[in-house]
Amino acid sequence: MRTAKIVLLTLFSAGVLATFAAAAVIYAGVFNVAATEPHWALTSWVLEKARVRSIRAHAAGLAPPPGYDERAKLVSAVGHFSEHCATCHGGPGAKRSEVADGMYPEPPDLKEATRRYTAGELFWILKNGIKMSGMPSMASDGDEMLWATVALLQKMPGLSDDEYNDLWMQAQAAGDHGGMNHGTAAADGTKGTDQPSTASQPDGARHKHSH
């Protein structure tokens, strides 16, 4: 019994000292928050575990609705993706913006992300975003658009540049230039009409438009 008390007291004391040490490091400004400075290995491990476990717990029970991956839904989603996702993550035939190169953590390759997360987890990420990562919440797009985007992401690992380009061209023909409710502000402060952008067009689409 005496040995157990000593062990518990030692662990408690170590925890208290570690807490004070961490507080001192933060208060003194030793921890560098610059995006040009990678996290310490321990910090990266803690943040990675916290993110994965949090997403898994909060997305538990989320399942895609019937028909979420129909062709028409994919066409709608690719317009949204090209306008609001490819800028940071890139996509088939589309390079990500140079702005993303200066972000930390670096926006992940979505082909790898779809292998790592379930459909429900991808939906949760899109809808809620992730703190301190640059990933915004897209809840204003509506669940139907987000599930369609999940379907597109799941197909992306096997999607060729030409197949993605065909979807994108169909989206443009249908007038699907995006889905996020973030129109350009007008002079009176109200939201104006979103204008289609060519910034994230697939290279093949740009080539077609140039002829």
Side-chain angles (χ1 to χ4, degrees):
M1 182 65 69
R2 180 181 176 81
T3 301
K5 288 183 178 181
I6 293 175
V7 170
L8 290 174
L9 183 60
T10 301
L11 292 174
F12 176 77
S13 300
V16 171
L17 289 174
T19 300
F20 275 107
V25 167
I26 293 171
Y27 189 78
V30 175
F31 184 81
N32 193 344
V33 298
T36 53
E37 183 73 18
H39 285 310
W40 299 330
L42 178 59
T43 306
S44 294
W45 182 85
V46 170
L47 293 176
E48 172 77 5
K49 288 295 181 183
R51 186 185 75 248
V52 172
R53 298 297 299 177
S54 177
I55 293 171
R56 186 173 300 171
H58 287 87
L62 285 175
Y68 80 109
D69 56 351
E70 294 174 351
R71 177 78 180 186
K73 299 289 182 65
L74 295 178
V75 170
S76 178
V78 80
H80 170 266
F81 176 88
S82 65
E83 289 288 324
H84 305 293
C85 303
T87 300
C88 288
H89 297 280
K95 295 181 180 180
R96 70 183 189 180
S97 167
E98 293 181 357
V99 174
D101 294 333
M103 295 177 67
Y104 187 84
E106 183 178 320
D109 181 342
L110 293 180
K111 290 183 179 180
E112 294 300 321
T114 55
R115 296 188 181 101
R116 181 172 192 176
Y117 297 108
T118 66
E121 289 167 353
L122 290 171
F123 173 82
W124 188 92
I125 292 170
L126 291 174
K127 186 167 185 175
N128 296 280
I130 300 179
K131 293 176 181 177
M132 297 181 290
S133 71
M135 175 62 196
S137 163
M138 298 184 182
S140 61
D141 294 344
D143 288 2
E144 184 177 3
M145 174 60 78
L146 297 186
W147 279 119
T149 304
V150 168
L152 178 65
L153 293 176
Q154 290 180 313
K155 292 185 181 296
M156 201 164 287
L159 204 63
S160 70
D161 291 359
D162 287 340
E163 290 170 332
Y164 178 83
N165 182 69
D166 288 342
L167 286 171
W168 190 89
M169 295 295 288
Q170 290 179 51
Q172 296 304 294
D176 292 327
H177 301 301
M180 293 187 73
N181 186 24
H182 301 309
T184 304
D188 60 359
T190 60
K191 285 188 176 180
T193 303
D194 284 338
Q195 296 296 323
S197 168
T198 59
S200 298
Q201 289 182 15
D203 293 338
R206 295 196 191 102
H207 180 72
K208 289 182 180 180
H209 281 300
S210 65
H211 288 74

